[in-house]
Amino acid sequence: MCTGKARPLSKYKSHSQCVRQKSAAGVHVHLVCTPAKATFSVYISVSVEWDLRTLLQMLAMLTNFWIVLRDLRAQLENSTTALTKGAGAGPSSTGGAGAAASSAGAGGGVSGVAGGVASATDDKDGQGRGLVPVNKNLGNVKAEHGAHPSNRSLSLVDMYIDTSEPTENVGQIQFSLEYNFNEMTLILRIMQAKELPAKDLSGTSDPYVRVTLLPDKKHKLETKIKRRTLHPKWHETFYFEGFPIQKLQSRVLHLHVFDYDRFSRDDSIGEVHIPLCQVDFSEKNNTFWKALRPLEKNKCGEILCSLMYQPSTSELTLTVIKCRNLKAKDINGKSDPYVKVWLYFGEKRIEKKKSEVQFCTLNPEFHFSVKFDVPWERIRECQLNVTVMDHDKVGRNEAIGKIMLGKAGSGTSETKHWSDMITKPRQNVVQWHRLKPE
């Protein structure tokens, strides 16, 4: 049986060294470490007849070497970090005037941290869930470079809001919104929910609410867990400080109700998106009941496109700038995406164009422009089918997701984008879209 132990990184020489081991099963394993490049490689060769004993020996040996690799990786990372620190990084500071705090509405004290310091929530239900790290600094988050707040707000509304009826009833949630203009603070009160579906075998759920201000998905706040109920009452308050009203109107409030599970991943019950540009903060009593929507199971990712039409030259230009959070199609957890564009007149395909493949990424940047000759009298009947594909060298290429841009687009966002292009000739109209499954 083969055994192995990680050597301290200092014992390797400047050149590559090779550690060779051979088990009784005849499996040769070569571990090559190159400290100068902070890399190591493993080569395995097998030259035996396969039987159960041999297989077990090989598995035990590979487990041993996995431990060696893990220790070596830790040493390499520590060494790299030490070298980086020794190079002398410039001074950094954690700042920001804003912070978010939460309090129990029924007489609980306010908890939270100002000045951009991360903290942890209390034990959510007092029954041993433990501390959940939550960054409370939700204020003073910079807007996307070059994006006007009102334009970005409309883009977020189009991307996150579904005007269709919910496919199934997963309950409703009650909350209120208030804005303190003097302190530039958004006040969210989550009151209760009703008619939630049962997620546990007991016929009940253990619901709690997770709060985010999109497009920021990193910073999250959560309510306490309410045990064994389908009609929870939270009455908790959250403060989002340091948000000027102009910046706040470029955000979308996301409330996501989960069922807590002690021994496995929490189950999604439903979610709701509230564009803050549609809330009248001059009103003192903004209390809402909103229907929860089930979480979309087939998320394909998002695509950023630009449209422009030149009436004088009858030239239609589509630019696919980039994609983000694409669905993984390969076993390595990545995809090899490229874009395929079809020009339609009515239901007839006219012309096809393709971009280059971006290998091993879920967030490709294409900057791929295509131009089509479309007379003004036919602009309203034409459509663009934009499909993001996953390239496969062996099998058939798979579709990751698509959108249809045109008068009858594949969604509210796509139809509005096309309409804006027509009403603003000779201007680039840029917008994010959510990809739809094939």
Side-chain angles (χ1 to χ4, degrees), residues 96-101 136-143 152 178-187 212-216 219 221 238-253 276 281:
K136 297 287 186 178
N137 181 19
L138 296 187
N140 295 335
V141 180
K142 292 183 179 179
R152 201 184 85 184
E178 181 183 341
Y179 185 73
N180 187 319
F181 287 88
N182 294 328
E183 299 180 2
M184 294 189 298
T185 300
L186 173 68
I187 304 170
T212 51
L213 271 181
L214 299 173
D216 180 11
H219 305 118
L221 297 172
F238 299 88
Y239 299 89
F240 300 89
E241 300 175 350
F243 277 92
I245 188 66
Q246 295 85 356
K247 182 198 269 187
L248 193 65
Q249 288 181 338
S250 69
R251 300 300 181 98
V252 173
L253 179 65
L276 296 181
F281 287 110

Side-chain angles (χ1 to χ4, degrees), residues 181-290:
F181 287 88
N182 294 328
E183 299 180 2
M184 294 189 298
T185 300
L186 173 68
I187 304 170
L188 165 67
R189 295 181 179 89
I190 299 180
M191 301 170 182
Q192 60 182 321
K194 64 181 182 181
E195 301 174 2
L196 299 182
K199 292 290 185 177
D200 299 335
L201 296 176
S202 60
T204 61
S205 293
D206 302 319
Y208 69 93
V209 184
R210 182 175 296 166
V211 183
T212 51
L213 271 181
L214 299 173
D216 180 11
K217 297 182 180 179
K218 294 180 180 179
H219 305 118
K220 301 171 181 142
L221 297 172
E222 295 177 354
T223 67
K224 293 181 179 179
I225 298 169
K226 296 300 178 181
R227 294 285 182 176
R228 295 178 291 278
T229 179
L230 302 181
H231 307 279
K233 296 182 186 296
W234 291 286
H235 295 290
E236 295 187 40
T237 303
F238 299 88
Y239 299 89
F240 300 89
E241 300 175 350
F243 277 92
I245 188 66
Q246 295 85 356
K247 182 198 269 187
L248 193 65
Q249 288 181 338
S250 69
R251 300 300 181 98
V252 173
L253 179 65
H254 181 212
L255 304 180
H256 196 165
V257 182
F258 286 90
D259 168 56
Y260 170 68
D261 195 320
R262 187 180 296 275
F263 301 108
S264 63
R265 175 180 287 185
D266 297 349
D267 297 319
S268 171
I269 293 178
E271 62 181 353
V272 63
H273 295 86
I274 304 96
L276 296 181
C277 63
Q278 296 180 348
V279 178
D280 184 4
F281 287 110
S282 63
E283 297 286 336
K284 289 296 182 184
N285 186 21
N286 282 316
T287 303
F288 307 92
W289 273 105
K290 292 287 186 180

